[in-house]
Structures are given as structure tokens and as C-alpha cells.
Amino acid sequence: VDLGTNPNTVSRIELMDLSGKVVRSAEVGSNLQFHWTVSEFKPGIYFLRLKGRTVVTHKILIK
């Protein structure tokens, strides 16, 4: 996950499964990139939620 050059717009990232359960999360702080190994997760559809001044959710597929 690459937050670009402005981490102030995102304070927390969450990876959720289809049931809405948060399977991984991280506080952003001064980190601009997060590396999660996808082999740790079961194949399927997940949602990546970026929380900050607004909340943005992206659907992702892990094979």
C-alpha cells in the first residue's frame, strides 16, 4: 500500500474480509508505504479502507 507523498490525509488503513471483519490494520504515522504479504491471507475478495478526513474503500482480490 503506497500512500503517496501526503500521509496527513490518511491516519489508518484496514484490510477487511467480506463479512466486514478487520483482518489487518495499521496506524499510518509517518509511514508512506506498508507491505503486507498476501500469502498470509486466504484467496478471496477484501476491502482496503483508508481512514482520515474522509473514508475511502477499495475492493481488492487476493488469488
Side-chain angles (χ1 to χ4, degrees), residues 11-34:
S11 59
R12 183 172 188 78
I13 60 174
E14 298 175 338
L15 184 67
M16 303 178 316
D17 63 15
L18 277 178
S19 70
K21 177 183 173 189
V22 176
V23 294
R24 181 69 58 93
S25 66
E27 295 293 328
V28 172
S30 62
N31 293 329
L32 297 177
Q33 294 182 346
F34 293 87

Side-chain angles (χ1 to χ4, degrees), residues 8-62:
N8 296 324
T9 59
V10 177
S11 59
R12 183 172 188 78
I13 60 174
E14 298 175 338
L15 184 67
M16 303 178 316
D17 63 15
L18 277 178
S19 70
K21 177 183 173 189
V22 176
V23 294
R24 181 69 58 93
S25 66
E27 295 293 328
V28 172
S30 62
N31 293 329
L32 297 177
Q33 294 182 346
F34 293 87
H35 299 278
W36 292 336
T37 305
V38 295
S39 62
E40 298 174 20
F41 307 107
K42 294 179 182 178
I45 297 172
Y46 292 83
F47 297 99
L48 182 65
R49 180 183 289 167
L50 307 173
K51 297 172 115 179
R53 286 183 240 139
T54 61
V55 176
V56 177
T57 304
H58 298 278
K59 183 169 84 172
I60 59 173
L61 175 63
I62 296 178

